[in-house]
Every structure is written in structure tokens, then in C-alpha cells.
Amino acid sequence: MKTLIAAASAAVLATLVPAMAQAQTATTGLYGNLGYSQASSDDINLGAIGGRVGWRFNDWLGVEGELGFGVKDDTVTEAGIDVDIELEHTEAIYAVGFAPLSANTDLLARIGYGNTSIKGSALGTSVSEDGDSWNYGVGVQHHFDGVNGIRFDYTRQEYRGDDAGSSDVWSISYSRRF
């Protein structure tokens, strides 16, 4: 029985090792993304156009910076008064882990720290507020020709502070390897 289990294990490993070796041929170096993000927090839904610039050190690890500016505002009603909410900007830096599925396709996970600035306006008065957050997320990217591609990801922003809250951010972007 032990011989049968050992033989089966060897057969599985024999098929996985070439696939894993092939998957570890992802391009390293500079990359960038440009896309749209939808952020939701409680009843507030905001949209942003943003970009990322990153450096992939090897097949598995990288770092990226992110900057976004609001393009879709929202209105909420508080105590019978409409309050316009606007995303002014968001910025963050991340450590990124890649799991190559092929030379052009990766699963990714990222963790980082960011800052988000929003503005609320009602009855002729505006107030801006910044919030720092710990961010983490997952995604997938595919480069159609080895250079140009698409990336989908989800990021959770956990804001710091006593009554800080959190945001769920879904993004789609054009991805480019340089």
C-alpha cells in the first residue's frame, strides 16, 4: 500500500513540476496599470480613475505605488439633508506577491498602507477629511501579448481610528510591462 501511495505521489509530482517550471517564466521589472476603481463604504459608492507603478523583483515578489482621483460622486441623506460626497484622491504603497500561472497570467495578493481624502458638501458648506488605512487584496492579471494586458482586483481598506470603518474597492485596469 505504501508503495502504491509513493508511486501515485511521484506521478502527480512528475506532472506538476514541468507545469510549475513553465509558470515561473513571468517577466520581471517595471510595470504600470491605468484603470477604474469602484469604492463602497456603507451606503456611499465612489468611483476613481487611477494608476499604479510597480517593480517586480522576481517571479514572486514586487512593490507598487497607487494614486487615484475621484470621477464619480455620491449623495447621501443625513437628518433630512442631502450631502454630496466626493473622493478627492487616494494613494497607497503595497508589497505584492505573485503566483504565476503561466508566462502571461498571474494571481496576485497585496498588502499595504494608504491615505484617502474625501469631501462632503451640504447647504453651501464643505468639509474635507483624510483617512489612513491598512489595505489588503487579491487579483488576477493576464498579458495578451506578453506586454499589454488586463488586471482585475479587489482591495479592502481598513481605516484607522476610533470610528473609522472600511471600504471595498473593485478595480479593472489596463496593464503594461516595460
Side-chain angles (χ1 to χ4, degrees), residues 46-49 66-71 86-92 114-119 128-132 157 159:
L46 303 173
I49 295 292
E66 178 178 87
L67 183 61
F69 298 96
V71 294
E86 173 185 342
L87 174 66
E88 293 183 312
H89 71 272
T90 183
E91 56 207 25
N115 178 274
T116 301
S117 178
I118 61 170
K119 180 168 103 177
S128 292
E129 188 171 317
D130 288 304
D132 293 331
Q157 298 174 324
Y159 295 101

Side-chain angles (χ1 to χ4, degrees), residues 17-131:
V17 170
M20 289 175 63
Q22 180 184 9
Q24 293 180 11
T25 58
T27 303
T28 60
L30 184 66
Y31 66 89
N33 300 158
L34 182 61
Y36 180 79
S37 297
Q38 180 72 32
S40 300
S41 180
D42 297 324
D43 293 332
I44 301 170
N45 296 296
L46 303 173
I49 295 292
R52 299 182 186 111
V53 175
W55 186 266
R56 189 166 176 166
F57 300 109
N58 56 41
D59 289 343
W60 305 99
L61 297 172
V63 63
E64 65 186 29
E66 178 178 87
L67 183 61
F69 298 96
V71 294
K72 179 185 168 288
D73 304 337
D74 199 1
T75 301
V76 296
T77 303
E78 295 289 328
I81 299 172
D82 287 341
V83 179
D84 296 323
I85 307 293
E86 173 185 342
L87 174 66
E88 293 183 312
H89 71 272
T90 183
E91 56 207 25
I93 189 158
Y94 294 93
V96 184
F98 296 93
L101 300 179
S102 73
N104 291 323
T105 305
D106 299 294
L107 296 178
L108 59 99
R110 62 190 197 144
I111 185 167
Y113 194 78
N115 178 274
T116 301
S117 178
I118 61 170
K119 180 168 103 177
S121 303
L123 303 174
T125 303
S126 296
V127 176
S128 292
E129 188 171 317
D130 288 304

Side-chain angles (χ1 to χ4, degrees), residues 35-38 52 66 110 151-155 169-173:
Y36 180 79
S37 297
Q38 180 72 32
R52 299 182 186 111
E66 178 178 87
R110 62 190 197 144
R151 175 171 161 172
F152 300 96
D153 57 72
Y154 163 78
T155 303
V169 182
W170 293 93
S171 301
I172 182 170
S173 57

